[in-house]
Amino acid sequence: MAAPKVAVVGAGVVGLSTALCVAETCPSCSVMVLSDQFSPNTTSDVAAGILIPHTYPGTPIHVQKQWFKETFTYLFAISNSAEASEAGIHLVSGWQVFKNTPKEELPFWSDVVLGFRPMSEAELQKFPQHRFGQAFTTLKCDCPPYLLWLEKRLKATGVQMCTRKVADLWELHSEYNIVVNCAGIGAHQLVGDEKLFPVRGQVLKVHAPWVKNFIRDGDGLTYIYPGIHRVTLGGTREKESWSLSPDPGTTKDIFDRCCSLEPSLRGAQEMKVKVGLRPSRWCVRLQREVLSQGGVKLPVVHNYGHGAGGFSVHRGTAKEAARLVRECIAALQGSTSKAKL
Ligand code: FAD
């Protein structure tokens, strides 16, 4: 069989990292990223990019932990390299604070992040409305720089990128041997997945260079995540809302909530408001499927539905998607050699 042609649909963090894993682990393939939008116009550009996992109820915890660990290890190595600044990856320490002690004092990811421990009384004094807290160090991606860094890595590996809206995965069958679907919330229409729904998120990006530690309310709704250039203030979780327009009332509410956690934010400047639709699902759809029409087959690997935690697990799910692509190649090679017999 000639070099298998692989199309990856989608250029958010999931599509770009999946294309990179495929190119790295299947060097005989020719890989093309097809997407109607690239950075800075994807949901991934809006994300805060902190590595704190979101839990997928339909995915076994050990699998989620493995995805998170692989992603943490990968980004930790970048943060320790000369690439860190260009890739927008850095370590950040901070606190997750709770008004009441949570049922689960040790989340499943507590031994993956660095230095996880209960907050001391002295630290808790900073948060008079909260009774319990966890301190740890994790990683943060500044999302647009990280996406551009991934694109640069892809070009260096020989992967091509093309702006194209795909109306139906089947339209790719005559040009590609394998299609990888990383369309995020776009998969709702692209493959008619009714289990996929948007969870709208609005965030503020502000200039507040004195804020060095992250602060996250335990319910995950209010957060302050300092990046290299801007601090992300959040947020909202609006299930089934497709609106991409910023809401001024929500902006004020987010800002007030964040200022009650970190009053010095009242002096923040240069506020920008962003909205994104989290591609949410009971579990990430990470599986093979074979489309077939009139005896012609098209192997597809789905990798979408990362909801509120795409940055936290992207490398782990990209590695698994690349493994599924290798299975598709082996199946295609098997059928080609059988046909020759
Ligand atoms: P996207 O970034 O949406 O990419 C999908 C791509 O597919 C796009 O390029 C799109 O143009 C393309 N596409 C779609 N349909 C088609 C089509 N028919 N044809 C061609 N191309 C198509 N996660 C974390 O881990 N940490 C955080 O701190 C965090 N904060 C967040 C804050 C907010 C406000 C939001 C909204 C999300 C946050 N997330 C966070 C979640 C994270 O952003 C997502 O899980 C992640 O970006 C999903 O990536 P994706 O590549 O699947 O989707």
Side-chain angles (χ1 to χ4, degrees):
M1 187 190 175
K5 289 180 160 184
V6 180
V8 176
V9 179
V13 69
V14 174
L16 297 179
S17 56
T18 301
L20 191 57
C21 278
V22 172
E24 284 169 352
T25 58
C26 317
S28 64
C29 289
S30 101
V31 183
M32 169 72 91
V33 176
L34 303 171
S35 191
D36 60 347
Q37 298 290 343
F38 284 81
S39 182
N41 299 318
T42 70
T43 303
S44 300
D45 287 280
V46 175
I50 195 93
L51 263 74
I52 299 178
H54 151 86
T55 306
Y56 305 100
T59 305
I61 287 293
H62 73 273
V63 174
Q64 300 186 45
K65 184 167 180 177
Q66 180 67 17
W67 293 343
F68 180 55
K69 203 170 175 177
E70 284 171 351
T71 307
F72 197 95
T73 304
Y74 179 71
L75 294 180
F76 189 37
I78 298 174
S79 79
N80 286 318
S81 76
E83 302 274 298
S85 166
E86 189 187 346
I89 309 294
H90 64 109
L91 284 167
V92 59
S93 298
W95 304 285
Q96 170 156 262
V97 291
F98 297 81
K99 294 208 167 91
N100 295 302
T101 308
K103 273 191 220 141
E104 196 186 42
E105 287 190 37
L106 271 186
F108 73 83
W109 42 265
S110 59
D111 59 349
V112 179
V113 297
L114 309 177
F116 188 96
R117 60 175 172 80
M119 279 166 70
S120 67
E121 282 304 319
E123 286 171 307
L124 273 169
Q125 276 175 16
K126 181 173 165 62
F127 304 99
Q129 295 166 1
H130 295 78
R131 286 219 220 130
F132 176 83
Q134 298 152 338
F136 54 94
T137 299
T138 188
L139 288 151
K140 170 148 173 13
C141 305
D142 274 15
C143 302
Y146 182 55
L147 297 175
L148 291 180
W149 181 83
L150 285 172
E151 285 185 18
K152 193 172 154 188
R153 289 288 301 266
L154 286 169
K155 282 179 196 151
T157 322
V159 173
Q160 292 183 300
M161 277 167 267
C162 170
T163 303
R164 171 168 167 182
K165 184 168 174 79
V166 178
D168 183 336
L169 295 180
W170 185 255
E171 78 185 45
L172 303 173
H173 83 273
S174 56
E175 297 164 74
Y176 298 95
N177 304 107
I178 299 163
V179 172
V180 189
N181 171 15
C182 303
I185 195 63
H188 188 265
Q189 198 178 5
L190 182 61
V191 293
D193 186 343
E194 296 289 330
K195 292 182 191 145
L196 182 70
F197 57 91
V199 176
R200 181 184 181 277
Q202 183 166 321
V203 287
L204 322 178
K205 309 259 175 180
V206 300
H207 185 65
W210 61 90
V211 176
K212 302 289 184 202
N213 295 304
F214 75 80
I215 304 171
R216 180 179 198 265
D217 202 306
D219 64 10
L221 201 58
T222 305
Y223 50 80
I224 299 162
Y225 294 141
I228 296 173
H229 302 293
R230 288 280 178 278
V231 183
T232 305
L233 311 182
T236 62
R237 279 196 214 126
E238 296 151 75
K239 212 172 158 182
E240 300 286 0
S241 169
W242 289 89
S243 168
L244 283 169
S245 307
D247 177 74
T250 306
T251 299
K252 184 179 177 316
D253 178 50
I254 293 171
F255 191 64
D256 288 345
R257 279 189 274 129
C258 289
C259 288
S260 81
L261 280 177
E262 178 52 71
S264 73
L265 280 169
R266 289 272 169 220
Q269 289 177 334
E270 298 170 34
M271 183 186 291
K272 287 196 181 134
V273 185
K274 304 262 179 190
V275 176
L277 304 180
R278 300 176 182 93
S280 300
R281 222 173 168 273
W282 162 256
C283 61
V284 176
R285 186 172 183 202
L286 190 42
Q287 62 180 193
R288 281 171 64 188
E289 182 185 19
V290 179
L291 304 181
S292 164
Q293 278 188 31
V296 181
K297 290 183 175 171
L298 176 66
V300 170
V301 173
H302 297 284
N303 185 14
Y304 67 83
H306 295 67
F311 275 86
S312 305
V313 296
H314 70 277
R315 180 72 188 187
T317 58
K319 277 178 80 171
E320 175 61 9
R323 193 187 66 74
L324 296 176
V325 168
R326 292 197 298 280
E327 279 186 12
C328 295
I329 295 170
L332 285 174
Q333 284 168 341
S335 58
T336 314
S337 38
K338 266 191 210 149
K340 281 186 188 154
L341 289 175

